[in-house]
Amino acid sequence: MQQILIVEDEAIIRSALKRLLERHGYAVSEAESAEEADRLDPQRFDLVIADLRLPGEEGTVLIERAAPVPVLIMTSYASMRSAIDSLKQGAVDYIAKPFDHGELVETVSRILHQQAMRQGEPPEITDEGGDQQIMIGDCDAMQQVYTRIRKTAPADVTVLILGESGTGKELVARALHQQSKRAAASLVSVNCAAIPETLIESELFGHEKGAFTGASASRTGLVEAADGGTLFLDEIGELPLDAQARLLRVLQEGEIRKIGSVETRHVDVRLIAATHRDLAALSKSGEFRLDLYYRLNVMQIDLPPLRERDDDVLAIADILLDKALKRHGREGLRLSRAARQDLRDYPWPGNVRELENALERGVILAEGHLIHPDDLGLAPAATRPQPASVTPPQAPADEAPAEPPPGGTAEGVSLEDYFQHFVLEHQDHMSETELAQKLGISRKNLWERRQRLGIPRKKNARRSS
């Protein structure tokens, strides 16, 4: 239901307007002055209807305060001057009192319809290479994402982006930054899962020379590097508790202190965080600070998984396919009808990242001018086979190789079985960094596989020193 705020000091007119609009299916709130409207937060409404003459400040002050929410001005002075002045200041339209009820309802309906059409436009984003791109998707869930980005970006508040891996959380963070008041400053992106636990505090907050073994020079942290701009912390659910405490101080006090330093420094940073994990549940189990969770969750944006986005899959596939064709010099290649149907029906547990990989395979393997289902390497979810037998990942040369599971050999065990056995066998006495090193993979790859196979982390796992 669309929300309308009426700002009118005359109670009779205000009540009549409220009854009229509620009869037409709108949810209506009331305020007697611009000051009272401020307390109701005009930006959370879909439309503000304000009288020009109000006690205290005039109704036109709400044009800027409510932006980008449209403001319809009512005036008892049906002169061209008052109408033109309000439009020049940014009012979406004006209506003269006494007004016709039918005309008012028609005007409100038109404004809200136009606003909904504008809100449905996906945000344009400039990637790291300077190229322009837009977020893709027309489903209802993505329309809500676009609307939330448009309303949240200029507000300069902390944002928590929730969604499965591969749903495009970094794209949303980039759109929020580029539509914010900080767009001219830096966007610093950090994947908390990709940095070893022993280094993450130094990476984020910096350190002084000699603060720990190997600290041969002082270093500026990434939080300080984002001063004046936006800090994007991806997979914040993987952030160790010590680093969470330091981050909480940044949000509460706007201060950082380098490791090994006794001095604090003020920073002005907007924080955007993202995770695929349930932070509320992690807070209850003690793995995530509850006070930090509440600080992060000022505004929340939920990204839908690809399997819930209907025909968006094919629209995204067409864009990704075009990029893959250019990379491999195979212009003119296209998806067969059966391949498009397979893309439409597949559940996409890996979301957009998995779709991109499937199309890359198709471009490489296709013969002739069509990409067929076999080229994509997909199978229906119900008949999806277990992964083929593969050789386990090799440990680095200076590390002892991880042993194969009992009853199997390194050459004959599936990668998932091998991974699951090794992690469950050793996670009680190894840190995440040590597990990743033994398996010959990155920490980011380790937690991604944990997520896919449903292997929880041990809270009391030993940290590497």
Side-chain angles (χ1 to χ4, degrees), residues 406-417:
T409 65
E411 290 75 26
V413 65
S414 76
L415 179 60
E416 272 71 12
D417 288 342

Side-chain angles (χ1 to χ4, degrees), residues 163-400:
E164 297 178 6
S165 293
T167 49
K169 295 188 286 294
E170 186 167 358
L171 275 180
V172 173
R174 195 170 292 279
L176 287 167
H177 171 71
Q178 292 177 3
Q179 295 186 25
S180 74
K181 301 171 185 176
R182 300 172 181 260
S186 298
L187 169 67
V188 177
S189 300
V190 184
N191 189 316
C192 299
I195 303 174
E197 294 176 31
T198 52
L199 296 179
I200 195 161
E201 286 187 63
S202 172
E203 289 288 321
L204 288 176
F205 306 104
H207 62 256
E208 295 291 354
K209 180 179 179 180
F212 51 85
T213 302
S216 57
S218 62
R219 175 172 182 161
T220 299
L222 295 172
V223 175
E224 188 173 350
D227 190 16
T230 304
L231 177 68
F232 172 51
L233 295 182
D234 197 6
E235 293 308 336
I236 197 169
E238 307 301 320
L239 198 63
L241 287 171
D242 290 345
Q244 291 178 30
R246 285 179 172 268
L247 181 62
L248 182 62
R249 183 169 181 82
V250 173
L251 293 176
Q252 287 179 332
E253 310 294 340
E255 293 179 347
I256 60 168
R257 187 172 66 217
K258 292 182 178 181
I259 297 174
S261 175
V262 295
E263 297 181 355
T264 59
R265 170 183 165 84
H266 180 77
V267 290
D268 175 23
V269 173
R270 182 190 192 176
L271 180 65
I272 299 174
T275 184
H276 70 280
R277 306 185 71 185
D278 185 346
L279 294 187
L282 292 178
S283 299
K284 292 179 181 178
S285 66
E287 296 177 78
F288 199 86
R289 293 182 63 113
L290 185 61
D291 47 5
L292 178 58
Y293 170 63
Y294 287 132
R295 282 282 179 177
L296 292 174
N297 197 23
V298 178
M299 294 296 294
Q300 181 174 307
I301 297 179
D302 296 286
L303 280 176
L306 195 55
R307 61 184 171 274
E308 296 177 5
R309 293 180 56 182
D310 304 324
D311 291 330
D312 284 357
V313 174
L314 296 180
I316 296 170
D318 288 337
I319 300 296
L320 296 177
L321 177 61
D322 184 59
K323 292 181 178 180
L325 294 176
K326 291 177 180 176
R327 279 197 303 272
H328 296 282
R330 297 204 62 182
E331 284 83 353
L333 190 64
R334 59 188 179 87
L335 293 161
S336 69
R337 183 175 300 177
R340 293 182 72 84
Q341 188 62 44
D342 265 20
L343 294 178
R344 180 70 173 77
D345 295 340
Y346 189 71
W348 300 112
N351 293 294
V352 177
R353 193 173 295 123
E354 185 181 8
L355 173 60
E356 186 174 18
N357 292 341
L359 293 167
E360 193 90 21
R361 283 195 300 271
V363 171
I364 294 170
L365 298 177
E367 298 178 357
H369 299 290
L370 289 176
I371 299 174
H372 297 286
D374 289 345
D375 301 321
L376 298 171
L378 301 177
T383 60
R384 193 177 180 187
Q386 292 296 316
S389 295
V390 296
T391 302
Q394 297 298 312
D398 58 346
E399 297 282 354

Side-chain angles (χ1 to χ4, degrees), residues 10-298:
E10 295 188 33
I12 295 176
I13 297 177
R14 193 171 63 245
S15 298
L17 270 176
K18 178 177 169 61
R19 290 194 300 271
L20 173 65
L21 293 172
E22 285 179 339
R23 285 201 303 269
H24 286 82
Y26 300 110
V28 181
S29 298
E30 302 175 66
E32 296 182 359
S33 64
E35 290 80 3
E36 185 178 348
D38 285 340
R39 290 193 290 271
L40 294 175
D41 185 8
Q43 288 188 328
R44 71 182 180 87
F45 294 90
D46 297 294
L47 173 65
V48 175
I49 303 175
D51 190 17
L52 178 64
R53 306 295 183 188
L54 292 171
E57 297 177 298
E58 289 194 341
T60 50
V61 301
L62 293 170
I63 295 171
E64 182 177 350
R65 295 174 188 173
V69 174
V71 175
L72 173 64
I73 292 293
M74 299 183 293
T75 176
S76 299
Y77 307 88
S79 67
M80 287 300 296
R81 171 168 292 186
S82 62
I84 291 173
D85 285 347
S86 64
L87 293 175
K88 281 181 177 180
Q89 292 179 62
V92 67
D93 206 341
Y94 85 100
I95 189 164
K97 295 192 291 185
F99 43 77
D100 178 78
H101 285 189
E103 180 186 357
L104 175 65
V105 171
E106 183 181 343
T107 300
V108 167
S109 176
R110 171 177 53 80
I111 293 171
L112 288 173
H113 176 72
Q114 291 173 344
Q115 184 72 358
M117 293 296 290
R118 284 194 293 270
Q119 290 175 3
E121 296 177 0
E124 290 189 1
I125 307 165
T126 303
D127 61 24
E128 292 179 347
D131 296 327
Q132 292 289 328
Q133 62 182 107
I134 61 171
M135 297 182 71
I136 306 166
D138 293 322
C139 66
D140 290 343
M142 288 305 296
Q143 296 295 326
Q144 293 175 16
V145 170
Y146 303 152
T147 299
R148 185 57 64 92
I149 290 173
R150 180 186 60 79
K151 289 186 174 183
T152 304
D156 205 38
V157 295
T158 303
V159 183
L160 180 61
I161 306 169
L162 301 180
E164 297 178 6
S165 293
T167 49
K169 295 188 286 294
E170 186 167 358
L171 275 180
V172 173
R174 195 170 292 279
L176 287 167
H177 171 71
Q178 292 177 3
Q179 295 186 25
S180 74
K181 301 171 185 176
R182 300 172 181 260
S186 298
L187 169 67
V188 177
S189 300
V190 184
N191 189 316
C192 299
I195 303 174
E197 294 176 31
T198 52
L199 296 179
I200 195 161
E201 286 187 63
S202 172
E203 289 288 321
L204 288 176
F205 306 104
H207 62 256
E208 295 291 354
K209 180 179 179 180
F212 51 85
T213 302
S216 57
S218 62
R219 175 172 182 161
T220 299
L222 295 172
V223 175
E224 188 173 350
D227 190 16
T230 304
L231 177 68
F232 172 51
L233 295 182
D234 197 6
E235 293 308 336
I236 197 169
E238 307 301 320
L239 198 63
L241 287 171
D242 290 345
Q244 291 178 30
R246 285 179 172 268
L247 181 62
L248 182 62
R249 183 169 181 82
V250 173
L251 293 176
Q252 287 179 332
E253 310 294 340
E255 293 179 347
I256 60 168
R257 187 172 66 217
K258 292 182 178 181
I259 297 174
S261 175
V262 295
E263 297 181 355
T264 59
R265 170 183 165 84
H266 180 77
V267 290
D268 175 23
V269 173
R270 182 190 192 176
L271 180 65
I272 299 174
T275 184
H276 70 280
R277 306 185 71 185
D278 185 346
L279 294 187
L282 292 178
S283 299
K284 292 179 181 178
S285 66
E287 296 177 78
F288 199 86
R289 293 182 63 113
L290 185 61
D291 47 5
L292 178 58
Y293 170 63
Y294 287 132
R295 282 282 179 177
L296 292 174
N297 197 23
V298 178

